[in-house]
Amino acid sequence: MINYNPKEWFTFIFRLHKADTFRQLIPMLFSISIYVGIVAYLEIEFFQLGDDSHLKNITIMHGMLGFVISLLLVFRTNTAYERWWEGRKLFGSLTNNSRNLAIKLSAILPVENGTLRKEFRQLIIEYTFALKRHLRGHQRNSENFSSEITVAEGSHKPNHIAFLLFKKVHQLHEDKILSGEQLLFLNNELSSFTEICGACERIKNTPIPFSYSVFIKKFIFFYVMTLPFGYVFTLGYLSIPIVVFVFYVLASLELIAEEIENPFGIDANDLPLNQICKNIQKNIQDIL
């Protein structure tokens, strides 16, 4: 995720960064400028269409369709941002619940039992990093511990760690270290790990419906491809930069929505999961 100062907006106009859609669209912008130039040349120089041509009325259609496409793109970007923000809220809940569980365990567990505290500390921290790696589609060894929590290839590591947490707490209850009331006292935080994981998986595994995404792309393409046929009559060769700019705006909105609809990846605008996990690690180490 890119950190920036929103008050320095003037510098954004002249600075290109890795998340800028202009870089991704350069080949398409170049191709469309050539296409519009060819259409303008044919209409002006070759066919020499006059003011009596019916093609000039195509701008009326563009005026009506422009309102429709703006509504579609607003809905598209809002839906993608809601998914991004929900993902951020879920990892915020993971941070709070991890802290709460650590605070409760710190108050309940005997201070002299450093081994038990260390085991819980490792499990809680490892769960956050395991969830991050699970959402990004890989389960390599943790980058944080020398004593690894290993699972079989293809297994659900966050579920395994949640099971180990439940098992250890239940064993403490069996050993009379935790009372029944204390077991219930810890249950909400323990259950929240799996609930947060399931909610994150729902976002990751349920993209925007394919037909909706394809329709918007086709709509943008045909809308832009037909723009020069009408605007050449009034703008001439100036229609080249104008049509290219219209395509840049519409396509950029679609690209931004595609990038943020899965907030758990490694793109420039995705959530800073590495930093969130390291913050949780620091907090849990301080508490336990």
Side-chain angles (χ1 to χ4, degrees), residues 58-59 61-69 216-229 231 243 246-247 250:
I58 199 173
T59 55
M61 179 196 73
H62 288 128
M64 294 185 294
L65 292 181
F67 176 73
V68 176
I69 199 170
I216 291 181
K217 290 179 173 60
K218 289 181 178 179
F219 197 168
I220 293 174
F221 177 78
F222 288 110
Y223 179 81
V224 172
M225 291 299 102
T226 56
L227 275 178
F229 290 104
Y231 283 95
V243 172
V246 170
F247 174 77
L250 298 179

Side-chain angles (χ1 to χ4, degrees), residues 72 76 208-222 254 258:
L72 288 173
R76 177 76 169 94
I208 299 296
F210 176 76
S211 58
Y212 185 80
S213 180
V214 170
F215 174 74
I216 291 181
K217 290 179 173 60
K218 289 181 178 179
F219 197 168
I220 293 174
F221 177 78
F222 288 110
E254 174 64 13
E258 285 181 351

Side-chain angles (χ1 to χ4, degrees), residues 1-4 16-21 23-24 84 136 255-256 258-273:
M1 184 175 178
I2 299 175
N3 294 318
Y4 66 96
L16 292 178
H17 51 81
K18 59 183 179 180
D20 203 318
T21 56
R23 292 185 177 184
Q24 303 177 53
W84 185 91
R136 289 181 173 176
L255 284 178
I256 293 170
E258 285 181 351
E259 183 175 339
I260 67 174
E261 70 179 6
N262 178 16
F264 307 120
I266 57 175
D267 293 328
N269 289 311
D270 287 334
L271 294 175
L273 299 188

Side-chain angles (χ1 to χ4, degrees), residues 118-164:
K118 179 181 178 181
E119 291 175 355
F120 276 108
R121 182 172 68 242
Q122 284 193 331
L123 285 173
I124 295 172
I125 296 174
E126 176 62 11
Y127 185 89
T128 64
F129 285 95
L131 178 59
K132 178 201 72 173
R133 297 192 300 272
H134 172 69
L135 294 173
R136 289 181 173 176
H138 60 85
Q139 276 299 346
R140 62 181 176 82
N141 291 337
S142 172
E143 57 266 50
N144 290 280
F145 300 109
S146 57
S147 57
E148 293 296 334
I149 301 171
T150 58
V151 295
E153 185 70 24
S155 297
H156 197 292
K157 191 170 184 179
N159 277 353
H160 179 69
I161 299 174
F163 164 74
L164 293 178

